Amino acid sequence: MKYLSPFLAAFLLLSSISSASAQSWPDKQVKIIVAYPAGGGVDPVARLVGQKLSERWKQPVVVENKAGGSGTIGANFVAQSPADGLTILMSATPEVVINQHFMQKMSYNPDADLKPVTLVVRLPFVLVSNVSKPYANAAELIAYAKKNPNKVSYASSGPGSAQHLAAVMLEQQADIKLVHVPYKGVAPAVSDLLAGHVDIGFAGLPTALPHIQSGKLRALGLSSKTPSAAAPEIPPLAKTPALSNFDLTQWFGIFVPSGTPNIIVQRIQTDTQAVLNMPDVKATLEKQGAQPSGMSTTDFQAFVNSERKKFGDIVKVAKIEQ
């Protein structure tokens, strides 16, 4: 029998223990924390994915909503949780890549305290206008805004929100001046767009699509560079010459406390990717305008880093402060 050095023997033992731990994980209930209210945005995606993960893991997977602070309350809860993979954050963009660029104080460090696991979905915004407005597409909007600086108003769900930063990017790339009208959430912003009290605004495709299809809002373009399967007739804003570099989407991703063992991180990523590839899950998400992903942890880390830089540059140029 070949002699194994003590170091090699110890390594093999630890490897077998780690492998066994990953196979037996989870051995109890898993919580998916959503940092927003139940019913909208992240919540239905978390519940759909959570249900399928529960079936794979043979353990309950429950969704808990811890809303407030533009997502920071829920994100902080996960950041301070035990690093055992049993408490997972299903994030939107504010709490992991946007808030740190303009909030004076945060109770956690998104980069140091949360470990990226995988991208779940991307959700393009659609730039919409009230149907009474004198522009039918992005090029006409830009031409109108150049002739009428500070006359076109845009709605957002609040200062520093992804919708706000999408409009700021529009201003920066098209070299136009718009008037920001912030609201406390998406619902009142869309209500005032429908009523014609505000001219344009970015809204999530699932939110805007019913109003576009009913003829109550006009779609001027998608915020993503690629069309959406849910609405292939809406062209990307990047098709407009002045906006050829326009590419900004909201996205939902999975994060865990930073000390979570890599073998558990890999298990979560692999199983989430498998869930997102299920035909029924994929069809449900695409019908809502979402683009399922499940990218590797390495690719997701790089994606998060690039998104932090993108949003940070927008905030810096626009001098947005809380």
Side-chain angles (χ1 to χ4, degrees):
M1 179 182 292
K2 280 192 173 181
Y3 173 73
L4 293 178
S5 72
F7 296 107
L8 179 57
F11 173 78
L12 292 174
L13 177 61
L14 286 173
S15 296
S16 65
I17 291 173
S18 296
S19 178
S21 297
Q23 291 299 320
S24 63
W25 180 94
D27 58 359
K28 59 180 72 173
Q29 174 181 284
V30 177
K31 291 188 292 188
I32 297 179
I33 303 301
V34 171
Y36 300 91
V42 188
D43 187 72
V45 176
R47 293 182 188 278
L48 174 62
V49 172
Q51 176 193 341
K52 297 296 186 178
L53 287 175
S54 179
E55 294 169 5
R56 288 181 71 85
W57 292 341
K58 305 293 191 285
Q59 292 290 344
V61 176
V62 298
V63 175
E64 289 189 10
N65 300 89
K66 293 186 178 294
S70 295
T72 58
I73 291 175
N76 182 64
F77 179 85
V78 175
Q80 305 303 323
S81 294
D84 53 14
L86 298 176
T87 304
I88 295 169
L89 175 68
M90 179 82 78
S91 82
T93 45
E95 62 268 32
V96 289
V97 299
I98 296 178
N99 292 341
Q100 66 260 45
H101 296 298
F102 67 90
M103 283 189 169
Q104 296 292 324
K105 182 184 288 188
M106 292 179 65
S107 53
Y108 65 98
N109 182 326
D111 189 21
D113 298 337
L114 293 169
K115 180 182 289 189
V117 177
T118 189
L119 178 66
V120 178
V121 296
R122 298 190 207 207
L123 282 157
F125 293 112
V126 57
L127 178 61
V128 295
S129 72
N130 185 277
V131 293
S132 67
K133 305 306 172 184
Y135 25 81
N137 54 52
E140 291 180 7
L141 166 66
I142 292 169
Y144 182 88
K146 283 184 178 293
K147 291 180 181 178
N148 300 276
N150 292 311
K151 297 294 184 182
V152 178
S153 59
Y154 69 90
S156 83
S157 58
S161 64
Q163 294 95 327
H164 177 201
L165 299 187
V168 171
M169 179 182 274
L170 174 66
E171 287 184 293
Q172 291 173 354
Q173 293 195 10
D175 191 25
I176 55 177
K177 298 293 185 183
L178 307 173
V179 178
H180 183 205
V181 183
Y183 291 83
K184 292 183 178 180
V186 174
V190 172
S191 292
D192 270 12
L193 276 164
L194 290 166
H197 300 317
V198 65
D199 300 322
I200 63 171
F202 283 90
L205 186 57
T207 300
L209 198 52
H211 302 301
I212 294 168
Q213 292 171 337
S214 68
K216 294 178 180 177
L217 288 177
R218 179 182 295 140
L220 304 181
L222 278 184
S223 66
S224 59
K225 275 201 168 184
T226 55
S228 169
E233 71 281 2
I234 302 177
L237 289 170
K239 295 292 186 182
T240 304
L243 303 174
S244 58
N245 293 320
F246 201 100
D247 186 20
L248 184 149
T249 59
Q250 186 168 12
W251 48 265
F252 306 155
I254 289 179
F255 291 76
V256 291
S258 60
T260 304
N262 287 335
I263 198 160
I264 292 177
V265 171
Q266 186 59 51
R267 175 78 188 278
I268 298 171
Q269 186 277 325
T270 299
D271 287 343
T272 302
Q273 184 180 45
V275 164
L276 293 171
N277 283 333
M278 291 179 176
D280 59 329
V281 173
K282 192 172 183 180
T284 298
L285 293 172
E286 288 181 345
K287 187 177 180 180
Q288 297 171 355
Q291 301 164 350
S293 178
M295 67 171 55
S296 72
T297 296
T298 300
D299 288 345
F300 186 44
Q301 177 68 75
F303 174 79
V304 170
N305 291 342
S306 68
E307 289 289 283
R308 284 183 177 141
K309 183 180 186 308
K310 176 191 291 184
F311 283 111
D313 289 346
I314 296 171
V315 171
K316 184 177 180 181
V317 171
K319 300 179 180 178
I320 299 169
E321 296 181 358
Q322 191 184 43

